[in-house]
Amino acid sequence: MHTPTDEQAHAVDAFRAGHHLVLQAGAGTGKTSTLTQLAASTLSRGRYLAFNKDIARDAAARFPRTVQCKTAHATAYAALGHRYTHRLNSPRQPAWKTGQALGITRPLRIGDHEISPRTLSHTVLRTVTRYCYSADHTLSRHHVPQLRGLNTDGEHAQLAHDVMPFALKAWADLHNPETGVVRFEHDHYLKMWALTEPRIEADFLLLDEAQDTNPVLEEVFAAQRRHAQLVMVGDSAQAIYGWRGARDVMTGFDATPLTLTRSFRFGPLIAEEANRWLTLADAPIRLTGSQAVPTGVGALDRPDAVLCRTNIGAMAEVMRLLAAGRRVALTRGGQQLAALAIAARDLKDGRRTSHPELVLFSSWGELQDYAAHDPAGRDLQPFVDLVDTHGPEAILTAVVQLTDEKYADVTVSTAHTAKGREWPTVQIGDDFPPPKDTDQHDDQGRPVPEPISDTDARLAYVAVTRARHHLDLGGLSWVNDLPAA
C-alpha cells in the first residue's frame, strides 16, 4: 500500500476520534484503501455495506477480520430473506402471466389510449418495485410509474386508480413464503426487512457508493446512528442512478465532511478535464492528478473503450465498429439492444410490443411521428433513424456478432454501465448532445446556450474519468466551444 496521503491520514484521525463521517472520494482516489485504513485503526467490530456482491467479495479480502463485508441484500437475506428461499428459486415467467393470475384480464381505456393487459401487468410490477426502492411505509398511488404517451395529470391519475388494487394484491401475495403468483425478487425481502426497523449489530458501519443508495437503505443506515459510528463514502458527482430510485444521500448527511481528491488513476490532464465537469455539476470537490501517471487528451484512432450516453447510442456505435471490421464487445451483452430491435420489428410488422418504452405505440409510423414532432419523444429519434437506416434484422445480426471482452479490439459501453470500470484509452461516443441555444445572444451576436444540467455534467464526469492514460473527448468536444469552458 502506498504511503497514506494527508487526506487519508486526516480521515483516520477523525474516525478514531469517534466522529460520524461523510467522505467525498473522487474518481480513482483510493476510497477502498482509505476505508481499510479506518478499519485497521481500531479493534472495534465493523460492518461494510457494498453496492454489489463483487465489491463485497473483493473488500472481504482487504479488510481486517474485525469487519464483516456484505451487500445490503445479503444482510437482509440473513435476517429475513432466507424465509423466502423457495420462492426466490421459482422459474421466471412473463409479466402478463403474473398479471393474469392477479386478475388482469381486460384492457384499460384511458382517453384515446388502450392499455393492454400486458402493459397493465408490467405497470403493476413496476409499481411494487418503485415502492420497494422507497423509504415509504405504505404502497400508494405515487409509486405508479408514468407511461410514455399518457401526458396529462388526469390520464395518469386514472392509470394509478386502476393499477393500485392489483399492486396491493401483488404485495400481499409476496408475503407468503411458500407459494404465490408473483415472482419473488431480492428487492422484495430487502423492503420487508427495512420495514421491521432492523438493528445492525456493529460498533461502526461503512456504507460504500453512498451516492447511489436507495431511500430504503438510507433509512436503515441512518437509523443505526443510535448505537454505531457511521461512515458514508462515495462521490456525489457520480450520482447518476436517480432514474431507478437512487439519490445522493451524502449531501446534507449530518456528519463530519472530509474529502479524497488525489486521483491515482490518471495524471493532471485528465484531472483537469474532470474538474471542468465537476465545476459544471457544482460538485463539492476538485481532483488532482498523479504526476507519476502519463496521460494525454486528444483524438484516438483505436480506443480500448467507447462510452455512450444511451443504449441506442451504443447500438449505433456497435454497428459502426462492426462495419469497420473491428471485434466488438458490449458491456452486459446485447440483450437490451436485441429487445429494442425486436420491439422495432414488432411495430414495423403492425404488432404492438411489450417493450416498456414503446408499449403505447400501435405502429412504426406512429412512433416515427412521435419522435419527429413531439418534444417528449425527441430522445427516440436516433433509435428511429438507426432502425430506418439498417432495419431490425441487421441490428439483431450485429448482436450475434459481438465478442467477449477478453478477445475484443474495443469495448462499447454506456457511461452508466462503465461506472466503476477503467480502461487505458477511452473515446466518448457521439450521442452526448450539446445544450440547446436560447433566444439570447452574446456581444458577438452568437446564441447563448442553455446551462448544462447537473445530470448531464455528472454523467460526463463519470465518462471522462474512466480513462487511465488517454482520453478522446469525441462527442463531448462541444464543451470546448462553450463561453464558460
Side-chain angles (χ1 to χ4, degrees):
M1 184 182 293
H2 59 79
T3 303
T5 65
D6 290 343
E7 290 175 322
Q8 290 174 320
H10 186 197
V12 171
D13 290 342
F15 178 75
R16 294 186 66 183
H19 298 300
H20 299 297
L21 304 179
V22 56
L23 187 58
Q24 290 280 359
T29 56
K31 66 181 174 66
T32 305
S33 62
T34 304
L35 291 178
T36 58
Q37 291 170 33
L38 301 188
S41 72
T42 178
L43 296 176
S44 299
R45 295 171 306 121
R47 297 285 288 270
Y48 167 87
L49 295 177
F51 193 59
N52 63 47
K53 191 184 298 184
D54 290 339
I55 294 174
R57 185 178 60 248
D58 292 344
R62 301 177 63 176
F63 276 88
R65 293 182 179 179
T66 51
V67 178
Q68 188 178 72
C69 301
K70 285 187 175 183
T71 63
H73 284 90
T75 305
Y77 181 85
L80 183 147
H82 64 276
R83 303 174 195 169
Y84 297 88
T85 301
H86 176 72
R87 290 194 63 177
L88 277 167
N89 295 328
S90 62
R92 291 188 177 276
Q93 67 174 353
W96 67 267
K97 279 194 174 181
T98 302
Q100 203 171 59
L102 290 170
I104 301 173
T105 56
R106 294 196 303 271
L108 172 65
R109 193 81 194 176
I110 299 180
D112 296 331
H113 301 286
E114 182 175 280
I115 315 298
S116 69
R118 184 180 297 244
T119 300
L120 203 54
S121 301
H122 275 288
T123 306
V124 166
L125 297 180
R126 287 174 62 204
T127 298
V128 173
T129 298
R130 283 162 57 92
Y131 167 60
C132 289
Y133 287 161
S134 77
D136 300 329
H137 286 247
T138 55
L139 176 59
S140 59
R141 289 188 180 190
H142 73 269
H143 298 117
V144 178
Q146 298 280 343
L147 281 186
R148 189 190 285 270
L150 297 184
N151 298 322
T152 70
D153 291 341
E155 288 175 334
H156 180 71
Q158 185 182 341
L159 176 70
H161 175 270
D162 286 276
V163 162
M164 277 305 298
F166 295 112
L168 290 168
K169 189 175 181 180
W171 183 238
D173 173 275
L174 288 164
H175 281 74
N176 186 332
E178 296 302 324
T179 185
V181 299
V182 182
R183 179 174 168 81
F184 197 94
E185 305 283 357
H186 295 279
D187 285 329
H188 296 145
Y189 67 72
L190 180 68
K191 180 65 174 181
M192 293 175 186
W193 172 68
L195 290 171
T196 68
E197 300 182 356
R199 174 187 169 105
I200 300 176
E201 295 297 339
D203 299 313
F204 64 89
L205 265 73
L206 310 174
L207 178 63
D208 200 358
E209 298 287 352
Q211 80 281 347
D212 290 329
T213 300
N214 286 331
V216 62
L217 180 56
E218 175 198 359
E219 185 178 58
V220 171
F221 180 78
Q224 312 307 311
R225 183 186 290 268
R226 293 188 287 268
H227 69 275
Q229 183 182 4
L230 304 183
V231 178
M232 275 189 177
V233 62
D235 185 354
S236 289
Q238 294 192 52
I240 58 174
Y241 288 110
W243 49 274
R244 73 175 190 195
R247 67 190 189 93
D248 175 20
V249 302
M250 301 180 69
T251 305
F253 184 66
D254 183 15
T256 301
L258 298 173
T259 59
L260 297 177
T261 60
R262 180 188 168 193
S263 181
F264 302 98
R265 179 179 299 162
F266 43 71
L269 286 176
I270 294 179
E272 183 179 330
E273 191 58 48
N275 288 337
R276 172 154 57 175
W277 296 102
L278 288 169
T279 301
L280 290 167
D282 198 23
I285 61 171
R286 302 292 181 269
L287 298 182
T288 301
S290 174
Q291 295 287 351
V293 182
T295 52
V297 176
L300 285 167
D301 290 328
R302 299 180 72 84
D304 296 297
V306 179
L307 306 185
C308 303
R309 180 173 174 267
T310 64
N311 284 315
I312 292 166
M315 182 191 297
E317 193 62 41
V318 165
M319 300 286 286
R320 183 184 70 81
L321 289 165
L322 285 173
R326 308 287 296 281
R327 289 176 299 177
V328 184
L330 182 68
T331 52
R332 302 213 180 148
Q335 296 91 339
Q336 291 175 316
L337 302 194
L340 280 166
I342 291 169
R345 185 175 63 188
D346 287 343
L347 289 172
K348 287 176 81 70
D349 289 345
R351 296 188 300 271
R352 285 188 176 270
T353 174
S354 60
H355 195 286
E357 277 289 288
L358 308 174
V359 288
L360 292 185
F361 299 101
S362 60
S363 68
W364 184 250
E366 188 179 333
L367 176 58
Q368 287 174 314
D369 288 344
Y370 178 77
H373 304 298
D374 192 317
R378 200 172 290 140
D379 60 316
L380 288 174
Q381 191 61 57
F383 170 60
V384 170
D385 292 342
L386 190 72
V387 173
D388 284 342
T389 301
H390 298 283
E393 297 304 329
I395 295 169
L396 290 168
T397 300
V399 170
V400 174
Q401 293 175 334
L402 291 170
T403 305
D404 187 278
E405 275 198 63
K406 290 183 292 187
Y407 310 110
D409 300 321
V410 58
T411 296
V412 176
S413 174
T414 63
H416 284 95
T417 306
K419 192 166 171 292
R421 302 278 309 270
E422 57 184 61
W423 290 270
T425 64
V426 169
Q427 183 180 75
I428 307 300
D430 291 334
D431 64 334
F432 287 81
K436 299 183 183 69
D437 290 336
T438 65
D439 294 333
Q440 299 177 331
H441 293 78
D442 62 16
D443 295 339
Q444 281 77 44
R446 296 171 301 188
V448 175
E450 293 178 354
I452 298 172
S453 71
D454 289 352
T455 301
D456 288 343
R458 288 195 297 267
L459 192 62
Y461 163 68
V462 169
V464 301
T465 54
R466 300 309 96 196
R468 291 199 302 268
H469 297 298
H470 198 104
L471 170 68
D472 180 348
L473 267 178
L476 285 171
S477 295
W478 48 258
V479 74
N480 294 322
D481 300 324
L482 293 184

